[in-house]
Amino acid sequence: MKNLFKILTLIMVFMFTVNSSFAFPVSKLDKLVKKSSLDEKSTLAISIRNVSDGSVVYEQNSKKLLHPASSLKIFTTYSSLNMLGSDYQFKTQFLKDNENNLYIKLGADPLLTSSQLNLAFHKLRESGNTKFNNIYFDDSILDKKEMATGWMWDDEINPYTPKVSSYNLDSNVVTVEMLQEDNGRIYTELKSTYPMSIVSNIELNNKKDFIQINRYNWTSPEVVEIYASVVKPRSLEIPISSMRRYFIHNVEKAMEQNRITTSGVLYASKITPDNVTLLTEITNPIENTLPEILHKSNNLMAETLFKLSGAYKYNATGSDILGSVAFKEFYKKNGVSTDDVVIKDGCGVSRNNLFSVDWMTSTLNKISKEKDFDSYKELMAQPGDGTLLNRLLDLRGDVRLKTGSLSNISAISGYVKSQDGNTYSVAIILQNFTQEQREIKDFENKIIELIYSR
């Protein structure tokens, strides 16, 4: 009997030891948070849930409404993809009516390029359509609001947040190349025939790059000033001030190259009538946008999908308002309440978006159970890819995450598979901090590493 008691005692000690080794590291996380002092001067919110049973294993300020930045893209892209369908094709159609007018029906295609536009006009010429009366743009797919509510005015010149339009073309940016003369002088060259003026004052240094780009839309929207001190010459992407003007320019260029003429070129906005003939079209699949959104955090593509989801859902002109309504309806239908969230755009740039990390992890748990989710999860970034290119490299294959960064805001959310075999959903938002983004990202990394290592 004594031996049996000893054996039972040893088994219990062993089980306690095993369970302790696999216990979630709450104390270590508390120590990490306290040592950082981030929650004293800034706002730090953390939520971590076990995916299998939905239990909350760690939380800090989890109910506070904060700015999710680009970590929002996990949720908006998932809902947009489900509403539009994985086989959705962006279409730019060229149609002719019985009065020989050409209608270019825009699809707000964020993948559309000027080369594709030129090829379409080449096909028109090959099919014998070499002269039209007037050219009309059917731009009714999206509204005229090219920047979402809550975007900052100085985002307008940020290459990562170009305007979003029915006239999406060439990623809505032009490239400016810095070149060096034999005497060492740096000058700029616009890699586009679009009529823009570049005023530049650039010098070389041996430390780090400093670049300031100005454009004063209220006086000279097609004049860009570049003041820079760079380690070596580089290229810059400049958002286009008027997508409609840029689109017209490329249409005229394609017509000239393909010797297509008109008798009266109006370029007015006009709904395509019923009695038209499809001459040719440009198509691009939605699937080509997903790695760009979830790996590289492409704002143009995420915002376009968001607005298009509203257009498709309600058979109306797409807008951020309709996108928001469609987003909330989608999650409500799938058992996720959106009563306490505020959503103003689909890419996370808006300062008016408000989400809690508790909502984010509970939603991550919910959608992870959907039958199509595994393929979607595989599209999310892992260490060594996109915005995780130089982060958490030892955890490649065990985490799928979406980062987010705005001025004084940092976020990360997604899934972590730990060494004990459990998968956890995680959402972290930090805002109103004064530290360097690099320091904040390191703090996020340590949390992810603790979840993984147990």
Side-chain angles (χ1 to χ4, degrees):
M1 182 65 70
K2 290 183 179 180
N3 289 336
L4 179 60
F5 178 77
K6 288 181 180 179
I7 292 172
L8 290 173
T9 302
L10 287 171
I11 290 173
M12 291 175 66
V13 170
F14 175 75
M15 290 177 65
F16 176 80
T17 303
V18 170
N19 288 336
S20 296
S21 66
F22 285 147
F24 198 83
V26 172
S27 60
K28 291 182 179 180
L29 281 167
D30 282 336
K31 185 177 180 180
L32 176 65
V33 169
K34 186 177 181 179
K35 184 179 179 181
S36 72
S37 301
L38 284 169
D39 200 38
E40 294 177 10
K41 299 179 181 179
S42 310
T43 302
L44 166 63
I46 306 171
S47 178
I48 305 169
R49 292 176 185 265
N50 190 314
V51 169
S52 63
D53 60 16
S55 60
V56 175
V57 295
Y58 189 85
E59 62 182 349
Q60 172 98 353
N61 294 323
S62 65
K63 300 293 196 299
K64 285 186 178 291
L65 293 174
L66 302 173
H67 305 303
S70 284
S71 65
L72 178 63
K73 289 185 177 78
I74 288 180
F75 309 101
T76 56
T77 304
Y78 184 72
S79 62
S80 296
L81 180 62
N82 274 271
M83 283 182 278
L84 293 169
S86 58
D87 58 349
Y88 182 85
Q89 297 275 333
F90 303 105
K91 292 181 180 179
T92 305
Q93 297 182 315
F94 297 76
L95 308 110
K96 183 172 69 171
D97 67 12
N98 53 19
E99 295 179 355
N100 198 36
N101 294 311
L102 178 66
Y103 288 79
I104 303 178
K105 189 173 184 178
L106 304 175
D109 182 355
L111 297 165
L112 184 65
T113 66
S114 52
S115 296
Q116 289 179 318
L117 202 58
N118 185 67
L119 180 59
F121 277 97
H122 177 71
K123 290 179 179 178
L124 291 181
R125 178 167 185 82
E126 283 189 328
S127 63
N129 293 282
T130 59
K131 187 172 183 178
F132 298 96
N133 288 334
N134 295 309
I135 297 178
Y136 298 108
F137 293 128
D138 185 342
D139 57 8
S140 60
I141 193 165
L142 295 184
D143 65 359
K144 303 299 190 292
K145 187 180 175 184
E146 297 179 328
M147 298 179 73
T149 299
W151 287 23
M152 305 295 285
W153 70 269
D154 52 353
D155 284 333
E156 194 271 340
I157 201 66
N158 186 334
Y160 299 111
T161 54
K163 294 177 178 178
V164 179
S165 167
S166 297
Y167 297 89
N168 288 340
L169 182 66
D170 294 333
S171 300
N172 296 0
V173 296
V174 292
T175 300
V176 174
E177 195 76 37
M178 294 182 189
L179 301 170
Q180 187 172 9
E181 295 181 336
D182 292 339
N183 61 9
R185 186 181 76 88
I186 305 295
Y187 68 99
T188 56
E189 183 178 291
L190 179 64
K191 297 295 183 180
S192 171
T193 59
Y194 183 62
M196 281 177 57
S197 297
I198 308 296
V199 179
S200 60
N201 186 343
I202 304 170
E203 61 181 21
L204 293 177
N205 71 70
N206 58 3
K207 295 181 180 179
K208 64 178 182 178
D209 289 353
F210 168 80
I211 299 170
Q212 179 179 323
I213 303 174
N214 300 322
R215 178 166 62 204
Y216 308 104
N217 285 341
W218 51 92
T219 55
S220 304
E222 303 303 348
V223 177
V224 174
E225 299 176 346
I226 301 175
Y227 300 94
S229 179
V230 296
V231 176
K232 61 181 180 180
R234 51 173 292 185
S235 62
L236 301 172
E237 290 186 333
I238 310 293
I240 295 160
S241 63
S242 171
M243 285 310 306
R244 192 175 192 279
R245 284 199 298 267
Y246 183 76
F247 201 96
I248 290 173
H249 169 78
N250 281 280
V251 165
E252 291 178 334
K253 180 182 172 184
M255 289 174 63
E256 181 182 355
Q257 290 179 348
N258 292 283
R259 303 186 303 283
I260 294 176
T261 60
T262 65
S263 55
V265 187
L266 282 180
Y267 295 127
S269 297
K270 192 173 182 180
I271 301 293
T272 306
D274 293 332
N275 57 332
V276 291
T277 302
L278 178 64
L279 303 177
T280 188
E281 65 181 5
I282 304 167
T283 62
N284 285 303
I286 191 174
E287 64 182 2
N288 289 355
T289 67
L290 301 179
E292 293 295 315
I293 296 171
L294 297 173
H295 280 209
K296 301 178 183 179
S297 206
N298 188 295
N299 289 313
L300 168 64
M301 295 182 184
E303 188 66 10
T304 300
L305 262 61
F306 186 68
K307 297 179 82 168
L308 284 175
S309 68
Y312 193 76
K313 174 74 174 176
Y314 302 109
N315 192 28
T317 296
S319 66
D320 285 312
I321 293 175
L322 280 186
S324 299
V325 173
F327 173 90
K328 289 192 171 186
E329 185 175 324
F330 171 81
Y331 280 107
K332 182 179 179 180
K333 184 178 178 181
N334 285 275
V336 179
S337 173
T338 55
D339 292 344
D340 295 328
V341 306
V342 177
I343 180 164
K344 295 296 183 180
D345 70 8
C347 58
V349 170
S350 175
R351 295 285 178 144
N352 292 21
N353 292 322
L354 291 174
F355 283 75
S356 70
V357 292
D358 178 75
W359 185 92
M360 295 168 76
T361 56
S362 64
T363 305
L364 285 169
N365 278 22
K366 178 67 177 178
I367 62 178
S368 70
K369 306 295 193 299
E370 299 297 323
K371 62 180 180 179
D372 62 340
F373 188 74
D374 285 345
S375 58
Y376 183 77
K377 184 179 175 182
E378 290 300 309
L379 293 169
M380 293 167 59
Q382 61 174 320
D385 297 334
T387 56
L388 291 175
L389 183 64
N390 298 308
R391 296 179 64 179
L392 301 164
L393 296 180
D394 291 340
L395 275 59
R396 184 174 175 84
D398 293 301
V399 300
R400 295 283 180 173
L401 300 164
K402 181 71 197 73
T403 62
S405 299
L406 291 171
S407 178
N408 307 115
I409 298 172
S410 183
I412 193 166
S413 60
Y415 301 93
V416 180
K417 183 178 180 181
S418 71
Q419 286 181 319
D420 66 5
N422 286 316
T423 297
Y424 297 90
S425 59
V426 57
I428 306 167
I429 299 178
L430 294 104
Q431 69 178 53
N432 305 329
F433 54 82
T434 58
Q435 293 91 332
E436 294 288 335
Q437 280 274 357
R438 176 184 52 77
E439 183 179 342
I440 300 302
K441 299 301 183 187
D442 286 343
F443 175 74
E444 293 171 351
N445 290 348
K446 289 176 182 176
I447 293 177
I448 302 300
E449 288 165 353
L450 275 176
I451 298 171
Y452 168 77
S453 63
R454 319 303 286 121

